[in-house]
Amino acid sequence: MDFNLSKEQLLVQKMYREFAENEVKPLAQEVDEQERFPKETVEKMAKLGMMGIYFPKQYGGAGADILSYVMAVEEMSKVCGTTGVIISAHTSLCAAPIFENGTPAQKEKYLPKLCSGEWLGAFGLTEPGAGTDAQGQQTYAVLDEETNEWVLNGSKIFITNAGYADVFIIIAVTGTVVDKRGRKSKEISAFIVERTDSGFSVGNHEKKMGIRGSSTCELIMEDCRIPKDRLLGVKGKGFALAMKTLDGGRIGIAAQALGIAEGALEETIAYVKERKQFGRSIAQFQNTQFELAEMKARIDAAKYLVYAAAQKKQAVMNGAKVSYSVDAAEAKLIASRTASDVTCRCLQLFGGYGYTRDYPMERMMRDAKITEIYEGTSEVQMMVISGALLR
Amino acid sequence: MKAIVCVKQVPDTSGKVAVKADGTLDRASMATITNPDDLSAVEAALQLKDATGCEVVVVTMGPPPAEGMLRELLARGADRAVLVSGREFGGSDTFATSQILAAAINKIGVDADDVVFCGRQAIDGDTAQVGPQIAEKLNLPQVTYVADIQKDGNTLICKRMLEDGYMMVKVQTPCLLTCIKELNTPRYMSVGGIFECYSKPMEVFDYEALKNDPLIEVDTIGLLGSPTNVFKSFTPPQKGAGMMLKSDAPAAELVGILAKKHLI
């Protein structure tokens, strides 16, 4: 497949592959088994500019492009799904909304430290009672006029990177709006919260099925006081900000899913050439060949969607007035389903060995599943796509 | 202050090796990499840059596609690159190569506080001759097999590895060091470096650019200037599978087999 990658994109891809092979792959099994956040890998990635790939140099970014970022998530996820999502959540869900919605002062304060990797970023939208129904927010932010501070109360769950993050984008209710027909709804806004803010704490660490090295925790805000200027974007436009942020995030998760599927196929191709049954390698059986063929075709189809969504977001970054919402939803829907399907079929080709933890396939299968769930389930992606069709 | 690094693009010997009918390597059909020892030399120069802010210049002699390798070294952090390339230089052995590279380094210019870095040897020729020859031709002091460098003003204290030990050698700049892989761990290209590397300066030195250097004569460069004659190159036949001795007395069995073959 030829995506007309630029000279620079071909070189970053080469660097990512060397880095993934030498620095990420050797840790993947340990990170999973011990549920250990790979802090040392994040530090190494930070040195190479991988924590701020597509942000301008002016803000400490590497000055690259969206596809170069997507390829970073893809290449890391080929060998370790945990490492892939650390970059994705940090970049798409924290640095990106600050870059796209922040005031000049907010950008100056947060982006250089996020891009250099000195600070890690996270995003808090989901609550115990507000998953797909994201408007059912129960976290409230009230402005204390005397101190000029926002006071936040509530909790968030399933927050990626939470245990190690320094900066959080928090979505909260700031009031009630009444539409023309007199119907009331919540007014939602976005805030930048720092780990050290008073009243803010990180709670339970989730024990998960996959991406076990990723730090997924609860966030608790008890009279959490933050300066007034930490409001991100316009008051009352927080829901739209969150949805737009997730459009970008979904391209990252789609890239993670794509990478997991590609990594599983690579492992399987090597395995079926080695594994002998009935006196020959199992690669010589037509069942194996057809399985590989169909998986490759599905992966390539997913790759087209993921790269196309990345290119469309790039066009928006370059000033085009288009939406990549549907493109991102399609990419995530197809790539995540491909990842689950491919890892499952790869494990079948590995047979009993695939079911053991000595081989990476069961880990890849567990890692794949989350891509159908977080940053919008597959069902949410279908709501986005069909919503646009029937508008 | 400058660090000038000589690098070579070599066939990736972990891939397949192809030999042409005339006995020379079929380089076009083989994947290429930057010679591993040369990456240690580049890293040593970049560390010097990190410590002192000096300029790092990478130099290679090779065909035009060697530009790709130089761009990768610029992406690691080198400041500018020189590609020494010309038909007149083709077929050079180590003597002629060092003649040409020395002339190129002369053209770049060696100042009092400059250091020239080379890798110990290239994985294709394995001669370890080019670095020392360049030093001789430039009249620079040299330290070979360097595994550690301490800088103290214009003095470098180098750990020079030997087969059964090491020497500590003190040397004044300007000087030439040949580096071994134990010296450091080469860094990766950075994303920012990659997106800058195509706008960093890259000069090409052809025959015209170097011909006025006294080192460059018709009979000191290229095939004509190369005293080495390659008698024959070939791909060695693969060794057959070994034989496992599984009897209770394998030593006796082995002696029996060797005796049968009249080897003992």
Side-chain angles (χ1 to χ4, degrees):
Chain A
M1 279 199 296
D2 185 6
F3 291 100
N4 292 319
L5 297 183
S6 69
K7 291 178 293 194
E8 289 86 355
Q9 288 164 341
L10 286 168
L11 265 193
V12 286
Q13 189 182 52
K14 179 178 176 178
M15 181 274 274
Y16 296 151
R17 285 181 181 165
E18 286 174 8
F19 181 83
E21 190 65 28
N22 299 331
E23 314 290 336
V24 183
K25 193 175 182 180
L27 293 181
Q29 187 184 7
E30 179 204 320
V31 157
D32 175 66
E33 293 244 333
Q34 299 178 4
E35 299 190 57
R36 183 174 77 74
F37 184 86
K39 205 163 183 289
E40 69 273 47
T41 305
V42 176
E43 282 164 14
K44 287 177 195 166
M45 292 194 297
K47 270 192 191 160
L48 300 178
M50 289 167 66
M51 302 309 277
I53 294 170
Y54 69 80
F55 302 107
K57 292 211 160 111
Q58 174 195 357
Y59 296 115
D65 49 41
I66 303 287
L67 190 52
S68 295
Y69 154 65
V70 159
M71 290 194 297
V73 178
E74 176 191 359
E75 295 298 333
M76 299 311 122
S77 301
K78 278 186 187 176
V79 296
C80 175
T82 286
T83 306
V85 77
I86 293 171
I87 309 178
S88 183
H90 167 88
T91 307
S92 286
L93 300 187
C94 184
I98 294 176
F99 176 68
E100 288 166 16
N101 306 285
T103 62
Q106 287 170 337
K107 290 190 207 181
E108 284 299 327
K109 180 175 179 190
Y110 293 102
L111 287 176
K113 284 184 172 163
L114 288 168
C115 289
S116 71
E118 185 185 337
W119 282 354
L120 188 68
F123 173 81
L125 170 69
T126 302
E127 297 182 3
T132 295
D133 180 13
Q135 274 178 317
Q137 295 279 309
Q138 293 295 330
T139 297
Y140 283 83
V142 179
L143 187 63
D144 181 340
E145 302 277 2
E146 272 181 30
T147 60
N148 252 344
E149 288 173 320
W150 289 99
V151 184
L152 278 69
N153 278 291
S155 68
K156 300 285 175 183
I157 53 160
F158 303 153
I159 307 307
T160 304
N161 285 351
Y164 292 82
D166 304 276
V167 185
F168 301 79
I169 307 300
I170 298 292
I171 308 298
V173 180
T174 46
T176 310
V177 280
V178 183
D179 70 8
K180 287 177 203 158
R181 294 185 194 166
R183 290 179 303 195
K184 286 181 183 174
S185 64
K186 286 172 179 165
E187 180 200 81
I188 293 173
S189 303
F191 299 90
I192 305 171
V193 177
E194 296 178 17
R195 187 182 195 84
T196 50
D197 286 330
S198 77
F200 179 86
S201 60
V202 176
N204 277 340
H205 173 259
E206 300 292 345
K207 295 191 177 75
K208 305 187 297 297
M209 166 181 164
I211 53 160
R212 285 159 45 106
S214 165
S215 170
T216 312
C217 311
E218 179 187 17
L219 305 179
I220 302 152
M221 286 151 286
E222 286 174 316
D223 285 333
C224 170
R225 303 184 85 89
I226 58 172
K228 191 180 173 187
D229 62 8
R230 296 272 199 82
L231 175 75
L232 181 63
V234 180
K235 182 170 170 282
K237 300 283 184 194
F239 191 74
L241 182 149
M243 292 304 110
K244 200 157 164 278
T245 298
L246 287 173
D247 284 343
R250 283 165 190 162
I251 303 175
I253 300 307
Q256 183 201 21
L258 171 65
I260 293 171
E262 289 176 304
L265 185 63
E266 274 177 27
E267 292 284 344
T268 305
I269 289 169
Y271 181 81
V272 297
K273 287 182 187 166
E274 294 287 322
R275 172 71 172 163
K276 287 198 169 57
Q277 288 290 277
F278 301 103
R280 50 188 174 151
S281 79
I282 61 170
Q284 287 172 291
F285 292 103
Q286 200 171 46
N287 176 59
T288 308
Q289 294 161 359
F290 281 6
E291 283 291 288
L292 295 178
E294 194 179 350
M295 289 193 282
K296 171 71 170 135
R298 282 174 188 243
I299 288 171
D300 282 353
K303 193 161 181 156
Y304 274 115
L305 288 174
V306 176
Y307 280 31
Q311 298 291 31
K312 199 147 178 197
K313 178 161 168 97
Q314 184 64 51
V316 171
M317 296 268 296
N318 295 347
K321 295 274 179 266
V322 289
S323 163
Y324 54 85
S325 186
V326 171
D327 307 76
E330 289 180 7
K332 183 176 180 288
L333 175 69
I334 298 302
S336 63
R337 287 195 165 168
T338 300
S340 282
D341 176 54
V342 163
T343 50
C344 199
R345 293 163 88 158
C346 285
L347 195 146
Q348 191 69 17
L349 288 173
F350 268 71
Y353 288 110
Y355 198 68
T356 69
R357 297 218 298 253
D358 295 334
Y359 286 85
M361 210 44 63
E362 59 84 33
R363 165 169 55 83
M364 291 174 155
M365 188 177 158
R366 287 185 285 107
D367 286 355
K369 185 62 199 174
I370 187 61
T371 64
E372 292 183 275
I373 298 170
Y374 61 10
E375 299 197 29
T377 59
S378 292
E379 292 70 24
V380 166
Q381 311 312 320
M382 292 190 284
M383 285 157 63
V384 171
I385 300 163
S386 60
L389 287 176
L390 302 173
R391 193 178 291 151
Chain B
M1 183 185 184
K2 286 194 299 297
I4 301 171
V5 196
C6 299
V7 289
K8 185 180 187 185
Q9 193 172 40
V10 293
D12 184 354
T13 50
S14 63
K16 75 173 171 62
V17 176
V19 179
K20 284 195 278 200
D22 65 1
T24 58
L25 279 176
D26 182 7
R27 289 176 188 269
S29 78
M30 294 162 69
T32 56
I33 55 170
T34 308
N35 182 50
D37 284 346
D38 300 353
L39 286 180
S40 294
V42 171
E43 178 60 30
L46 292 174
Q47 288 181 8
L48 196 62
K49 177 183 173 177
D50 292 343
T52 66
C54 72
E55 185 190 25
V56 174
V57 189
V58 284
V59 189
T60 194
M61 183 170 90
E67 179 189 337
M69 169 189 69
L70 292 174
R71 293 290 176 199
E72 291 187 21
L73 300 175
L74 294 170
R76 284 177 199 248
D79 300 289
R80 62 187 169 105
V82 174
L83 172 61
V84 182
S85 195
R87 291 203 174 278
E88 297 83 351
F89 305 143
S92 292
D93 68 356
T94 62
F95 178 87
T97 299
S98 61
Q99 200 82 5
I100 299 160
L101 285 173
I105 292 168
N106 267 335
K107 189 171 167 65
I108 295 165
V110 181
D111 299 325
D113 51 358
D114 287 356
V115 183
V116 180
F117 292 92
C118 296
R120 170 191 56 173
Q121 66 191 45
I123 54 171
D124 53 355
D126 269 335
T127 66
Q129 291 169 354
V130 172
Q133 287 177 5
I134 293 172
E136 290 303 315
K137 289 168 184 177
L138 291 174
N139 233 346
L140 293 176
Q142 59 173 294
V143 184
T144 50
Y145 310 120
V146 171
D148 187 49
I149 305 167
Q150 300 297 329
K151 191 173 186 306
D152 181 12
N154 279 2
T155 304
L156 302 179
I157 300 162
C158 302
K159 182 178 185 180
R160 178 171 187 253
M161 296 309 289
L162 303 171
E163 261 178 43
D164 51 358
Y166 63 87
M167 299 162 80
M168 298 304 289
V169 183
K170 209 181 223 182
V171 62
Q172 284 291 121
T173 61
C175 59
L176 182 144
L177 313 179
T178 76
C179 306
I180 60 175
K181 69 173 191 301
E182 287 77 8
L183 177 59
N184 52 44
T185 306
R187 67 193 66 185
Y188 293 91
M189 296 181 273
S190 70
V191 181
I194 289 167
F195 275 76
E196 276 174 354
C197 75
Y198 284 94
S199 51
K200 284 184 176 174
M202 162 97 58
E203 272 182 281
V204 177
F205 289 0
D206 57 7
Y207 176 74
E208 285 298 309
L210 297 180
K211 68 177 185 191
N212 293 332
D213 191 290
L215 291 168
I216 304 294
E217 300 289 344
V218 178
D219 57 356
T220 60
I221 60 163
L223 206 53
L224 206 59
S226 297
T228 311
N229 281 311
V230 176
F231 171 63
K232 188 182 172 192
S233 310
F234 60 94
T235 308
Q238 285 206 326
K239 280 186 188 170
M243 184 195 291
M244 290 297 290
L245 303 182
K246 288 177 177 167
S247 68
D248 293 339
E253 195 185 347
L254 177 63
V255 169
I257 294 167
L258 293 177
K260 216 182 240 174
K261 291 184 184 269
H262 305 289
L263 292 168
I264 51 171

